[in-house]
Amino acid sequence: MKYSGMSDQGLTREANQDSYIVCENKQGDLLAVVCDGVGGANHGEVASSLAVKHMVSRFEENEDFIDLEDAKAWLYTSIVSTNDLVYKKAQKIKEYHGMGTTLVTLLVCKHGVLVGNVGDSRAYGIDDQKNMRAITSDHTYVANLVQLGQISIQEAMHHPQRHVITNAIGIWKAIEVDIFPIEKNMKSLLLCSDGLHGYVDERQILNIVKNQRLSIHTKTQRLIQAANDAGGFDNVTVVLVDLDGGLHDDE
């Protein structure tokens, strides 16, 4: 299993409010987390950093998972407790009122692979046929309109409220947590903030990820560069995990 992660401020933002981690524990399990801070001046970077650190702390302290259901329960409770932590911090400290963060996470253990999501950062899966599909569903106002059939996917891409999220870590006391088991035919997984998927076409993303001539580290660099070439309008974070180690690596 190979992995690489990278985050960039972009070309227009004054600070990077994204945070991420990819790590393994003593059992050999892998955790990847990408968080995109929201709240602007209300310290989104604090929320995203707190969320990542809390997820890692729980991961490092965790004993071996009994089965996949045990892993699902751990992932769900870890995300909920992350929300509790950030929400209480935001309520306690006046300058942090309104801060929050998206969170998308990947857990790989001997029993299987899971993705968890809150917000509009995304996980994509690339299967053994080099096809890519979104694993997660965005928790946004516009995504809800699409699900209700009120607007098309094409209209959603240019909707003026496409970045309005309806679910995030730390903003509300109660959150919706999506957990997705990953099929065995998924060979690679990409986690990213909307600085990538909001500005770079999915076909371009896939062309970079499936390029056999590039190392996994170079792929992450190319994805970051693609976001900046598209205008660099937002912070951008990507984590690419090759589950079976089959991607060519020239490093």
Side-chain angles (χ1 to χ4, degrees):
M1 184 165 55
K2 300 173 184 176
Y3 49 84
S4 179
M6 189 173 298
S7 186
D8 190 83
Q9 182 174 323
L11 304 179
T12 64
R13 297 297 178 92
E14 295 182 357
N16 191 351
Q17 296 195 338
D18 288 2
S19 299
Y20 82 96
I21 192 73
V22 192
C23 59
E24 297 182 61
N25 64 9
K26 57 187 177 182
Q27 285 83 31
D29 305 324
L30 180 139
L31 179 75
V33 185
V34 169
C35 290
D36 179 358
V38 298
N42 294 325
H43 300 279
E45 73 280 3
V46 175
S48 67
S49 178
L50 279 173
V52 166
K53 290 177 181 177
H54 184 69
M55 290 289 294
V56 171
S57 176
R58 284 184 57 90
F59 181 64
E60 291 175 343
E61 294 171 357
N62 185 65
E63 298 298 328
D64 202 13
F65 297 112
I66 299 172
D67 52 27
L68 191 59
E69 288 304 313
D70 183 41
K72 286 181 183 178
W74 177 87
L75 190 59
Y76 179 85
T77 56
S78 295
I79 295 172
V80 169
S81 70
T82 299
N83 182 67
D84 291 342
L85 173 72
V86 178
Y87 178 80
K88 289 176 181 177
K89 179 76 74 171
Q91 296 302 305
K92 184 177 181 180
I93 302 176
K94 184 177 181 180
E95 65 181 302
Y96 292 167
H97 287 184
M99 75 173 181
T101 182
T102 69
L103 184 151
V104 63
T105 181
L106 167 68
L107 175 65
V108 182
C109 67
K110 62 185 179 183
H111 304 293
V113 182
L114 299 168
V115 163
N117 182 58
V118 177
D120 68 346
S121 291
R122 289 184 185 173
Y124 289 95
I126 299 88
D127 65 22
D128 49 9
Q129 301 300 312
K130 299 295 191 292
N131 298 312
M132 185 176 80
R133 69 175 179 86
I135 303 296
T136 55
S137 299
D138 293 347
H139 298 154
T140 64
Y141 172 72
V142 167
N144 289 341
L145 293 181
V146 172
Q147 291 173 1
L148 293 171
Q150 296 181 9
I151 63 172
S152 68
I153 294 176
Q154 290 72 26
E155 289 172 326
M157 293 175 62
H158 305 286
H159 197 284
Q161 293 176 293
R162 64 187 181 277
H163 296 301
V164 177
I165 60 174
T166 57
N167 190 35
I169 297 289
I171 295 179
W172 299 282
K173 189 172 184 179
I175 56 169
E176 174 188 350
V177 179
D178 290 340
I179 304 291
F180 303 91
I182 303 304
E183 301 92 338
K184 291 183 179 180
N185 70 326
M186 289 297 175
K187 299 303 181 182
S188 302
L189 286 162
L190 170 67
L191 307 184
C192 63
S193 61
D194 68 342
L196 180 70
H197 71 75
Y199 301 95
V200 181
D201 187 86
E202 290 184 1
R203 290 169 295 182
Q204 184 179 357
I205 294 173
L206 176 59
N207 285 337
I208 294 171
V209 172
K210 72 178 184 180
N211 189 332
Q212 295 289 323
R213 295 171 300 188
L214 303 177
S215 72
I216 194 168
H217 179 66
T218 302
K219 293 175 198 288
T220 60
Q221 291 179 317
R222 293 284 181 89
L223 291 168
I224 294 289
Q225 187 60 51
N228 285 332
D229 288 345
F233 298 112
D234 199 356
N235 309 145
V236 56
T237 300
V238 298
V239 169
L240 185 59
V241 178
D242 176 17
L243 295 173
D244 66 359
L247 294 180
H248 175 66
D249 194 335
D250 60 14
E251 298 179 344

